[in-house]
């Protein structure tokens, strides 16, 4: 990217300065910009932000614990989805001590439906570290924050800037998209080392203004205007600084390598009841996908033909089990995996092999955290299934 400084300053009608003392090191062809450009950019961006920022509940507090919760929930989840979960979560766990001492199953139940449950487990583990090592006070130093489980560079930057007013970049997907378009940054954002490049770029801008407002303004700009597809460039407050807009290549940025195609997996979900109307549920392993959640028994059908579900169920439970296929089907997408689920019902009064399974009444299902596809099974059961059938 040749003559970035020259072209940028022409847009702003200011003369470039030679070797400013604060300038960033050149990295992957991304050159520094001068102070006048930064001042003008920040002014236009923050003026827009103060008039158009989203009114979000975690922005009404400087409590680092609440901001921490919100940032973990917002990872890979839409803002509108997070808001009710956030509000209910802090009502149930209003302090670090409350979350630190809560049973994990209670925490997962409050997270139920939000997905990516490892976030909840890591959040609680991190909170317990803060309770033990820092007297239940979230530390305000980057090194200490990064030592806490579940806190990476982005969350640390968000906490330092939003809770403590420190000029620390918080680089998420929205920020990388905005800045890659502004400066035509060609580095692949799927690579970890690219984050450092964006941190260097944002560090110069955030040092000259309100850190909390600056980070949040970039996030709002990316979420509301500089969207991944069909960006609303006509309403962009920093359009005049944007090289991608100038060259008409907004859709080409950011540069990101293709993710691997998700793997398909077919499962039979077993809705097994006994003569007392109880249902069989099982707890998933303590590590791995959906760790610690509860589900109805599942049998992998990938690569298997007819009759396999019954044979596998009898082997699993150590006794005969008559199963009947229902019309219910469900497809659920994870980042790396797609579940295709079919539902079978059956009766079973005794099982030689219970393992991590046990019987519960339909009413007791409400006490257990279930992943979304199994919540859909419960909803189907309430409408279509009789325990006496």
């Amino acid at each position: 990217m040749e003559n970035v400084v020259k072209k940028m300053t022409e847009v702003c009608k200011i003369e470039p300065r030679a070797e400013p003392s604060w300038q960033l090191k050149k990295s992957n062809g991304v050159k520094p910009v001068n102070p006048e450009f930064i001042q003008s950019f920040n002014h236009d961006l923050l003026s827009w932000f103060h008039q158009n920022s989203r009114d979000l509940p975690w922005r009404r507090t400087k409590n680092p614990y609440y901001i921490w919760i919100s940032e973990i929930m917002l990872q890979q989840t839409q803002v509108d989805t997070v808001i009710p979960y956030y509000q209910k979560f802090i009502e149930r766990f209003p302090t670090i001590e409350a979350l630190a001492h809560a049973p994990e199953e209670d925490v997962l139940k409050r997270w139920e439906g939000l997905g990516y449950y490892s976030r909840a487990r890591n959040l609680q583990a991190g909170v317990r570290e803060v309770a033990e090592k820092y007297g239940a006070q979230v530390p305000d130093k980057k090194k200490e924050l990064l030592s806490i489980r579940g806190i990476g560079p982005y969350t640390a930057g968000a906490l330092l800037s939003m809770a403590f007013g420190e000029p620390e970049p918080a680089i998420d997907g929205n920020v990388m998209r905005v800045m890659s378009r502004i400066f035509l940054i060609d580095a692949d954002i799927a690579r970890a080392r690219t984050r450092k490049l964006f941190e260097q770029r944002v560090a110069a801008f955030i040092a000259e203004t309100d850190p909390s407002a600056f980070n949040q303004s970039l996030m709002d700009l990316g979420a509301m205007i500089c969207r991944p597809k069909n960006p609303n460039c006509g309403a962009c407050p920093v359009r005049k600084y944007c090289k991608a807009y100038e060259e008409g290549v907004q859709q080409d940025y950011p540069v990101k390598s293709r993710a691997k195609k998700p793997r398909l997996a077919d499962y039979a979900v077993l809705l097994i009841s006994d003569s007392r109307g109880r249902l069989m549920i099982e707890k998933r392993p303590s590590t791995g996908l959906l760790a610690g959640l509860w589900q109805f028994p599942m049998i992998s059908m990938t690569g298997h033909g007819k009759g396999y579900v019954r044979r596998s169920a009898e082997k699993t439970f150590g006794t005969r089990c008559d199963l009947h296929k229902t019309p219910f089907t469900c497809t659920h997408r994870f980042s790396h995996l797609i579940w295709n689920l079919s539902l079978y019902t059956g009766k079973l009064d005794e099982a030689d092999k219970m393992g991590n399974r046990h019987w519960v009444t339909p009413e007791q299902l409400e006490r257990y955290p279930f992943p979304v596809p199994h919540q859909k099974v419960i909803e189907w059961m309430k409408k279509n299934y009789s325990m006496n059938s």
Side-chain angles (χ1 to χ4, degrees), residues 265-285:
D266 299 322
Y267 284 97
V269 178
L270 308 183
L271 190 61
I272 305 293
S273 61
D274 67 3
S275 58
R276 296 167 57 185
R278 298 179 302 174
L279 296 164
M280 181 182 287
I281 62 173
E282 63 183 15
K283 192 170 187 178
R284 292 184 64 87

Side-chain angles (χ1 to χ4, degrees), residues 240-362:
K240 68 181 181 181
Y241 310 103
C242 182
K243 296 302 294 180
Y245 174 76
E246 180 183 323
E247 298 186 14
V249 293
Q250 301 94 311
Q251 300 285 13
D252 296 335
Y253 290 84
V255 175
K256 184 177 182 180
S257 56
R258 288 187 178 182
K260 292 182 180 179
K261 188 176 181 180
R263 178 172 58 88
L264 299 177
D266 299 322
Y267 284 97
V269 178
L270 308 183
L271 190 61
I272 305 293
S273 61
D274 67 3
S275 58
R276 296 167 57 185
R278 298 179 302 174
L279 296 164
M280 181 182 287
I281 62 173
E282 63 183 15
K283 192 170 187 178
R284 292 184 64 87
S286 59
T287 59
L289 181 67
L290 303 175
L293 298 184
W294 289 82
Q295 63 180 25
F296 300 103
M298 290 174 58
I299 293 174
S300 175
M301 297 173 59
T302 304
H304 298 287
K306 293 181 178 180
Y308 177 78
V309 175
R310 179 184 57 80
R311 295 193 303 272
S312 182
E314 292 178 355
K315 183 178 180 180
T316 298
F317 303 130
T319 187
R320 179 176 175 79
C321 184
D322 291 326
L323 297 172
H324 304 279
K325 196 174 188 301
T326 74
F328 176 92
T329 59
C330 174
T331 298
H332 187 77
R333 288 180 170 269
F334 301 94
S335 58
H336 63 295
L337 179 68
I338 298 176
W339 275 1
N340 293 317
L341 305 182
S342 300
L343 180 64
Y344 291 75
T345 61
K347 295 284 187 179
L348 186 66
D349 284 332
E350 295 182 4
D352 294 336
K353 302 175 182 178
M354 287 297 288
N356 61 336
R357 306 175 190 92
H358 65 252
W359 298 101
V360 298
T361 66

Side-chain angles (χ1 to χ4, degrees), residues 52-82:
N52 300 280
S53 61
R54 294 174 290 181
D55 182 19
L56 304 175
W58 46 86
R59 289 183 176 176
R60 304 172 199 152
T61 180
K62 291 294 184 181
N63 186 327
Y65 168 60
Y66 290 168
I67 295 172
W68 184 4
I69 291 170
S70 72
E71 291 300 335
I72 298 301
M73 287 186 169
L74 286 165
Q75 293 172 7
Q76 299 177 290
T77 308
Q78 295 293 321
V79 167
D80 290 343
T81 301
V82 166

Side-chain angles (χ1 to χ4, degrees), residues 122-338:
N122 288 336
L123 173 62
Q124 187 178 35
V127 163
R128 285 172 173 167
E129 287 183 45
V130 170
E132 294 172 6
K133 296 180 181 179
Y134 302 104
Q137 299 296 315
V138 178
D140 59 1
K141 299 294 188 293
K142 184 176 182 179
K143 183 178 180 180
E144 293 173 345
L145 285 172
L146 291 174
S147 72
I148 297 169
R149 182 171 174 180
I151 294 185
Y154 168 76
T155 305
L159 284 169
L160 289 169
S161 63
M162 297 175 196
F164 302 113
E166 295 293 330
E168 187 67 33
I171 307 299
D172 69 352
N174 282 324
V175 173
M176 287 194 285
R177 182 168 61 257
V178 170
M179 299 304 278
S180 70
R181 287 172 174 172
I182 294 291
F183 294 105
L184 288 184
I185 298 175
D186 293 311
D188 184 355
I189 65 169
R191 297 181 179 180
R193 65 185 181 188
T194 301
R195 183 177 296 274
K196 292 291 185 183
L197 186 155
F198 283 96
E199 286 177 351
Q200 289 181 329
R201 174 61 75 202
V202 173
F205 285 79
I206 198 172
E208 303 299 323
T209 188
D210 173 5
S212 177
F214 183 80
N215 275 336
Q216 292 180 86
S217 66
L218 284 181
M219 294 172 192
D220 278 10
L221 186 66
M224 299 164 65
I225 291 179
C226 195
R227 302 180 295 252
K229 296 181 180 179
N230 302 316
N232 185 10
C233 296
C236 180
V238 292
R239 180 180 67 239
K240 68 181 181 181
Y241 310 103
C242 182
K243 296 302 294 180
Y245 174 76
E246 180 183 323
E247 298 186 14
V249 293
Q250 301 94 311
Q251 300 285 13
D252 296 335
Y253 290 84
V255 175
K256 184 177 182 180
S257 56
R258 288 187 178 182
K260 292 182 180 179
K261 188 176 181 180
R263 178 172 58 88
L264 299 177
D266 299 322
Y267 284 97
V269 178
L270 308 183
L271 190 61
I272 305 293
S273 61
D274 67 3
S275 58
R276 296 167 57 185
R278 298 179 302 174
L279 296 164
M280 181 182 287
I281 62 173
E282 63 183 15
K283 192 170 187 178
R284 292 184 64 87
S286 59
T287 59
L289 181 67
L290 303 175
L293 298 184
W294 289 82
Q295 63 180 25
F296 300 103
M298 290 174 58
I299 293 174
S300 175
M301 297 173 59
T302 304
H304 298 287
K306 293 181 178 180
Y308 177 78
V309 175
R310 179 184 57 80
R311 295 193 303 272
S312 182
E314 292 178 355
K315 183 178 180 180
T316 298
F317 303 130
T319 187
R320 179 176 175 79
C321 184
D322 291 326
L323 297 172
H324 304 279
K325 196 174 188 301
T326 74
F328 176 92
T329 59
C330 174
T331 298
H332 187 77
R333 288 180 170 269
F334 301 94
S335 58
H336 63 295
L337 179 68
I338 298 176

